Amino acid sequence: MKKLPSFLITLSTVMFFVFFSSCGQQADSPEETARQGFRAAPRIISPELLPDNRVTFRLFAKDASSVTITGEWQQGFGASEVMMRNDTGLFSLTVGPLNPELYAYNFTVDGVKALDPANVQVRRDGSNYQNFFIIPGPESDLYFHNHDVPHGTVSKVWYHSDVLGFERRMYVYTPPDYNNSDNKYPVFYLLHGAGGDEDAWTNMGRTAQIMDNLIARGKAIPMVVVMTNGNANQAGAQNEVPPLPQTTGGRGQEDAVTAMVRGGFEQHLVKDVIPFIEENYKVMTGRDKRAIAGLSMGGMHTQTITYDNPGMFGYIGVFSMGLMNFGPQNRDEETVEKERDEKIEALKNSGYELYWIACGTDDFLYESVTTLREVLDKHDFRYIYRESSGGHTWANWRIYLSEFAPMLFK
Amino acid sequence: MKKLPSFLITLSTVMFFVFFSSCGQQADSPEETARQGFRAAPRIISPELLPDNRVTFRLFAKDASSVTITGEWQQGFGASEVMMRNDTGLFSLTVGPLNPELYAYNFTVDGVKALDPANVQVRRDGSNYQNFFIIPGPESDLYFHNHDVPHGTVSKVWYHSDVLGFERRMYVYTPPDYNNSDNKYPVFYLLHGAGGDEDAWTNMGRTAQIMDNLIARGKAIPMVVVMTNGNANQAGAQNEVPPLPQTTGGRGQEDAVTAMVRGGFEQHLVKDVIPFIEENYKVMTGRDKRAIAGLSMGGMHTQTITYDNPGMFGYIGVFSMGLMNFGPQNRDEETVEKERDEKIEALKNSGYELYWIACGTDDFLYESVTTLREVLDKHDFRYIYRESSGGHTWANWRIYLSEFAPMLFK
């Protein structure tokens, strides 16, 4: 008779676990369940994507006097929309129809930002956590995880930086057949913007989904994608890796501006990252097997790295970044111009395959991108300019990646 | 004169970027900054760890009438503490002193759960997002990322399951010297509980930090740690991988209970996961080079897998799970007992090195763990029993991992 009760205990236990886990709550204990499960109102559907691409958001907040929603479909400074309360305390709002795209959003409850407890899809934008959803359609088709295409591996890789003097982390995407073949692959170095880190391109940029889908459709050739941390004062993403201690041999404690302006990251990519990748991965080497692109600050890094190392990269992409100069800032403009002209001429003669500049017409850097093109034109420097609508946004950077990757290594 | 303004634009641009990114906000555009940066009150320090291990939490919520905090240091069903408002609208509360441990928490603002906008450390517990912090001390020392120890690589790996009939994802931890050496490593298969997924042991369980620190101190030998998704109806973690479509060859649409009870995961681990790992990684094979452990549902999986495959694993850990039976449920207890007795005898004679059972005295499965031990004792089955304080919690599972890993492969 002893087994019977214990048998029942364990079976009911599993049912108990699964009931709460099927509510989308980890039921590690009844206490946890009581604390979290019931509060999360798991039966509420939000966001609900309607057939006509309108979207309904819902939040149960019977004790709240005001709930608003802030989302990437909204225009203008500090835009938000008011959600309406019904007599049960359920706030809701239907927006759209929205164009096919990935949209981040969050609620604001009596002035405090809150995630949507009914939406498990969350992304990190710097230190800011937001929910997101994707409106399906041709324009967003590459952003979905598709079960019927092979998937690459994303690895969080630690390596030593001689230039910066400490251990650092990067993300490496290896394509679906990487483990099963003896092939060697070309390498695409993909750089993020200010406020981002090595997690940004996969988290905000959907890089793994975009590359999986492009490769499966034969639009991009299989390649290794290396996503570094462009902040020379960081070892890794702030949500997982603590700030560097004073004791590091490196310059981890210098502020972000100093770290950016002195060019430490740019030297580090060339002297630490590329050798590490070419030593530890099944990759091809040489100018025509290396690509580099970056957005915003990463576009600045891309310009600096390619100007200082002509012949190292055959494919170069500058996303949403214009003319810049980050040599010593106290020099007269003539010296700056002379140095820039020499570097442009050297890169012009380096035998690159593609130099691609992309910018949105609403980008606040649009003018400096125009100036960059004027300077390059003065040198008859060969480049392709892609002008999109929109501004300095991840929506554009996902589009630029989707268009740039298919042009590489062909 | 044309360069000068463009030069200034780009320099000021960078200062602008860095200013906002140093606020912990990704400043992709002024609009984004206006929307997010100012709302996040980045200058507020929360949580603030005080020298005596008390902790102060702060949230600016001038329009909220009630702010409470729910945290893992609290006892009892639905526990929470009220935060006090000052005349500027800043709510705060000081708790503790707290013992050295990792604590998750969240705010509740007028009845709605909210993350702490001043704390970038966030973990996902099923579909529930929580902030966390770690009180330093001997008991939590292994949970920190330490800059001065070598770090292993965590990879999100996709592979095919013949048993389940679809592509699945697992996490693989390879130790720090994996890439630099020709060594082969033993493999530890580490299984999560109900409501969790392949992300749970690194996210909730701090596995990468624990293994890095144990290996650096010479307390654990370098090993590969394989963290699978134990939900046979899932391809991958729900926050990154959508539910399987009806069209999959597999049984992705069956409910979680069916998936759990029919034993698909257990067969899958043996027939799909282990062969994949032993084919694609530099690992040793054979009983004495394979370890398996799981918590809760994963402890059930561990028992089923090791009973059905005596001689496959030399090191076996059952965390917070007792006697169970997940054969056909309609059989009489005698048949169940007879089959169990045979399996225990077979495992007893399989030459395993270690069978380790751990449970907390407050665990709601404590009684069934006692029953399991009584059944094993009846067979003179050799095992070590580790009884801790506390309940069915990740705090205990981190401790169990920290104690179990050092006993492996020695």
Side-chain angles (χ1 to χ4, degrees):
Chain A
M1 278 310 296
K2 172 162 269 158
K3 309 295 167 309
L4 194 55
S6 65
F7 160 81
L8 292 176
I9 284 168
T10 49
L11 180 56
S12 62
T13 297
V14 172
M15 306 301 290
F16 169 89
F17 282 165
V18 173
F19 168 72
F20 287 114
S21 60
S22 67
C23 294
Q25 296 304 314
Q26 173 118 358
D28 291 335
S29 72
E31 291 77 4
E32 285 302 304
T33 304
R35 279 192 195 168
Q36 302 162 0
F38 301 135
R39 187 165 290 165
R43 292 299 173 221
I44 289 175
I45 296 172
S46 180
E48 181 180 6
L49 276 56
L50 304 173
D52 62 355
N53 287 352
R54 289 179 308 140
V55 182
T56 300
F57 302 92
R58 299 180 177 92
L59 178 70
F60 183 69
K62 65 177 173 52
D63 300 329
S65 52
S66 153
V67 178
T68 61
I69 183 168
T70 301
E72 289 187 311
W73 60 87
Q74 297 161 349
Q75 301 300 323
F77 277 52
S80 70
E81 293 165 274
V82 174
M83 295 175 67
M84 299 308 299
R85 183 190 203 280
N86 73 6
D87 52 14
T88 71
L90 181 71
F91 286 75
S92 65
L93 179 70
T94 298
V95 304
L98 302 179
N99 297 325
E101 182 48 82
L102 184 154
Y103 298 94
Y105 70 99
N106 62 262
F107 297 135
T108 300
V109 177
D110 292 345
V112 176
K113 191 183 140 217
L115 290 178
D116 184 344
N119 182 1
V120 71
Q121 289 198 295
V122 171
R123 70 180 200 183
R124 179 181 63 89
D125 188 354
S127 66
N128 180 33
Y129 290 83
Q130 310 163 291
N131 291 104
F132 71 90
F133 61 93
I134 307 176
I135 297 287
E139 302 89 338
S140 63
D141 199 38
L142 291 170
Y143 307 160
F144 286 91
H145 175 96
N146 291 311
H147 288 289
D148 58 358
V149 308
H151 306 296
T153 295
V154 174
S155 301
K156 301 180 177 185
V157 178
W158 286 87
Y159 62 102
H160 181 73
S161 169
D162 290 329
V163 170
L164 299 174
F166 48 85
E167 304 297 306
R168 307 194 80 222
R169 193 176 78 167
M170 63 178 140
Y171 282 18
V172 179
Y173 168 91
T174 48
D177 53 357
Y178 182 86
N179 283 329
N180 320 334
S181 78
D182 299 329
N183 298 346
K184 291 190 161 196
Y185 299 88
V187 186
F188 176 20
Y189 297 88
L190 184 56
L191 312 182
H192 63 80
D197 50 51
E198 72 275 22
D199 181 60
W201 265 112
T202 51
N203 185 332
M204 301 287 289
R206 307 290 288 178
T207 299
Q209 292 81 6
I210 290 170
M211 293 308 299
D212 284 352
N213 291 324
L214 285 174
I215 291 168
R217 299 171 190 193
K219 291 185 175 178
I221 70 170
M223 65 186 79
V224 171
V225 182
V226 175
M227 292 158 280
T228 49
N229 183 313
N231 310 299
N233 62 338
Q234 278 186 9
Q238 60 177 320
N239 64 316
E240 293 188 346
V241 181
L244 286 157
Q246 294 289 0
T247 55
T248 52
R251 302 152 88 169
Q253 286 306 304
E254 70 188 344
D255 67 72
V257 176
T258 311
M260 185 187 298
V261 172
R262 73 173 168 78
F265 170 75
E266 294 91 325
Q267 301 164 40
H268 159 67
L269 185 102
V270 171
K271 295 181 182 170
D272 296 326
V273 176
I274 293 177
F276 178 89
I277 292 295
E278 297 187 348
E279 186 176 327
N280 290 284
Y281 288 83
K282 297 185 299 177
V283 297
M284 295 182 276
T285 60
R287 181 192 64 202
D288 297 344
K289 302 304 178 185
R290 296 191 199 107
I292 186 167
L295 71 92
S296 195
M297 178 182 80
M300 179 195 87
H301 287 150
T302 298
Q303 290 181 62
T304 306
I305 290 166
T306 52
Y307 281 148
D308 292 347
N309 301 275
M312 178 167 286
F313 299 92
Y315 301 83
I316 301 163
V318 176
F319 304 166
S320 306
M321 175 50 82
L323 187 74
M324 31 65 62
N325 160 42
F326 291 99
Q329 297 300 326
N330 55 359
R331 300 172 305 169
D332 64 85
E333 185 59 18
E334 266 184 30
T335 312
V336 170
E337 255 191 82
K338 183 167 177 303
E339 181 183 292
R340 179 189 298 134
D341 290 345
E342 290 167 0
K343 289 184 171 183
I344 291 173
E345 283 298 320
L347 186 56
K348 174 184 173 181
N349 300 319
S350 70
Y352 64 90
E353 291 289 327
L354 172 68
Y355 196 102
W356 198 73
I357 301 171
C359 188
T361 50
D362 302 333
D363 196 313
F364 68 115
L365 290 181
Y366 186 84
E367 184 192 337
S368 71
V369 172
T370 305
T371 310
L372 171 63
R373 292 166 51 212
E374 289 166 358
V375 170
L376 295 179
D377 290 340
K378 200 185 67 183
H379 289 270
D380 298 318
F381 184 96
R382 181 172 43 85
Y383 66 90
I384 295 172
Y385 176 55
R386 159 61 153 115
E387 186 166 282
S388 68
S389 62
H392 206 74
T393 65
W394 274 103
N396 268 339
W397 300 325
R398 285 186 296 265
I399 291 168
Y400 300 161
L401 173 62
S402 305
E403 296 182 4
F404 186 69
M407 295 187 281
L408 302 180
F409 313 120
K410 290 178 175 175
Chain B
M1 278 311 296
K2 172 165 266 157
K3 306 299 165 307
L4 194 55
S6 66
F7 161 81
L8 292 176
I9 284 168
T10 49
L11 180 56
S12 63
T13 297
V14 170
M15 307 301 290
F16 169 89
F17 283 164
V18 173
F19 169 72
F20 286 112
S21 60
S22 67
C23 295
Q25 296 305 312
Q26 173 118 358
D28 291 335
S29 72
E31 293 77 4
E32 284 304 302
T33 304
R35 278 193 198 168
Q36 302 163 4
F38 301 134
R39 187 165 291 162
R43 292 300 174 222
I44 289 176
I45 295 173
S46 179
E48 181 180 6
L49 276 56
L50 304 174
D52 61 356
N53 287 354
R54 288 179 309 139
V55 182
T56 299
F57 302 91
R58 299 180 178 90
L59 178 70
F60 182 70
K62 65 177 174 52
D63 300 328
S65 52
S66 154
V67 178
T68 62
I69 183 167
T70 301
E72 289 187 310
W73 59 87
Q74 298 162 350
Q75 302 300 321
F77 276 53
S80 70
E81 293 165 274
V82 173
M83 295 175 68
M84 299 308 298
R85 183 189 202 282
N86 74 5
D87 53 14
T88 72
L90 182 72
F91 287 76
S92 64
L93 179 71
T94 297
V95 304
L98 302 179
N99 296 326
E101 182 47 83
L102 184 154
Y103 297 94
Y105 71 99
N106 61 264
F107 297 135
T108 300
V109 178
D110 292 346
V112 176
K113 191 184 140 212
L115 290 178
D116 184 343
N119 182 1
V120 71
Q121 289 197 294
V122 171
R123 71 180 198 183
R124 179 181 63 90
D125 187 355
S127 65
N128 181 32
Y129 291 83
Q130 310 164 290
N131 292 103
F132 71 90
F133 62 93
I134 307 176
I135 298 286
E139 302 88 336
S140 64
D141 199 38
L142 291 170
Y143 307 160
F144 286 91
H145 175 95
N146 291 309
H147 288 290
D148 57 357
V149 307
H151 306 297
T153 294
V154 174
S155 301
K156 300 179 177 185
V157 179
W158 286 88
Y159 63 101
H160 181 73
S161 169
D162 291 331
V163 170
L164 299 174
F166 49 85
E167 304 296 308
R168 307 194 80 220
R169 194 177 77 167
M170 63 178 139
Y171 282 18
V172 178
Y173 169 90
T174 48
D177 53 358
Y178 182 86
N179 283 330
N180 320 335
S181 78
D182 299 328
N183 298 345
K184 292 189 161 197
Y185 299 88
V187 186
F188 176 21
Y189 297 88
L190 184 56
L191 313 182
H192 63 80
D197 50 51
E198 71 273 23
D199 180 61
W201 265 111
T202 51
N203 185 332
M204 302 286 290
R206 307 290 290 179
T207 299
Q209 293 81 7
I210 290 169
M211 294 307 301
D212 284 350
N213 291 323
L214 286 174
I215 292 169
R217 298 171 191 194
K219 291 185 175 176
I221 69 169
M223 65 185 80
V224 171
V225 183
V226 175
M227 292 158 279
T228 49
N229 183 314
N231 310 299
N233 62 338
Q234 278 186 9
Q238 59 178 319
N239 64 316
E240 292 188 348
V241 181
L244 286 156
Q246 294 290 0
T247 56
T248 51
R251 302 153 88 169
Q253 286 307 303
E254 71 188 343
D255 65 72
V257 175
T258 310
M260 185 187 299
V261 172
R262 73 174 168 76
F265 171 74
E266 295 90 324
Q267 301 164 40
H268 160 67
L269 185 104
V270 171
K271 295 181 182 171
D272 295 327
V273 176
I274 294 177
F276 179 88
I277 292 294
E278 297 187 349
E279 186 175 327
N280 290 285
Y281 288 84
K282 298 186 299 177
V283 297
M284 295 182 276
T285 60
R287 182 192 64 201
D288 297 344
K289 302 304 179 185
R290 295 190 200 108
I292 186 169
L295 71 93
S296 196
M297 178 182 80
M300 179 194 88
H301 287 151
T302 298
Q303 290 181 61
T304 307
I305 289 166
T306 52
Y307 281 148
D308 292 348
N309 301 276
M312 179 167 284
F313 299 93
Y315 301 83
I316 301 163
V318 176
F319 305 167
S320 305
M321 176 50 81
L323 188 74
M324 33 63 64
N325 159 41
F326 290 98
Q329 297 300 325
N330 54 1
R331 299 173 308 167
D332 64 86
E333 186 59 20
E334 267 185 30
T335 311
V336 171
E337 257 192 77
K338 184 168 176 301
E339 181 183 291
R340 179 190 299 131
D341 290 345
E342 291 167 359
K343 289 183 171 183
I344 291 173
E345 284 298 319
L347 186 56
K348 175 184 173 181
N349 300 318
S350 69
Y352 64 89
E353 291 289 327
L354 172 68
Y355 196 101
W356 198 72
I357 301 170
C359 189
T361 50
D362 302 332
D363 197 313
F364 68 116
L365 290 181
Y366 186 85
E367 185 192 335
S368 72
V369 172
T370 305
T371 310
L372 171 62
R373 291 166 52 211
E374 288 166 357
V375 170
L376 294 179
D377 290 341
K378 200 185 68 183
H379 289 270
D380 297 320
F381 184 96
R382 181 172 44 86
Y383 66 88
I384 294 173
Y385 176 56
R386 158 61 153 115
E387 187 166 281
S388 68
S389 62
H392 205 74
T393 65
W394 274 102
N396 268 339
W397 300 325
R398 285 187 296 266
I399 290 168
Y400 300 161
L401 173 62
S402 304
E403 295 182 6
F404 186 69
M407 294 186 283
L408 302 180
F409 313 120
K410 290 178 175 173

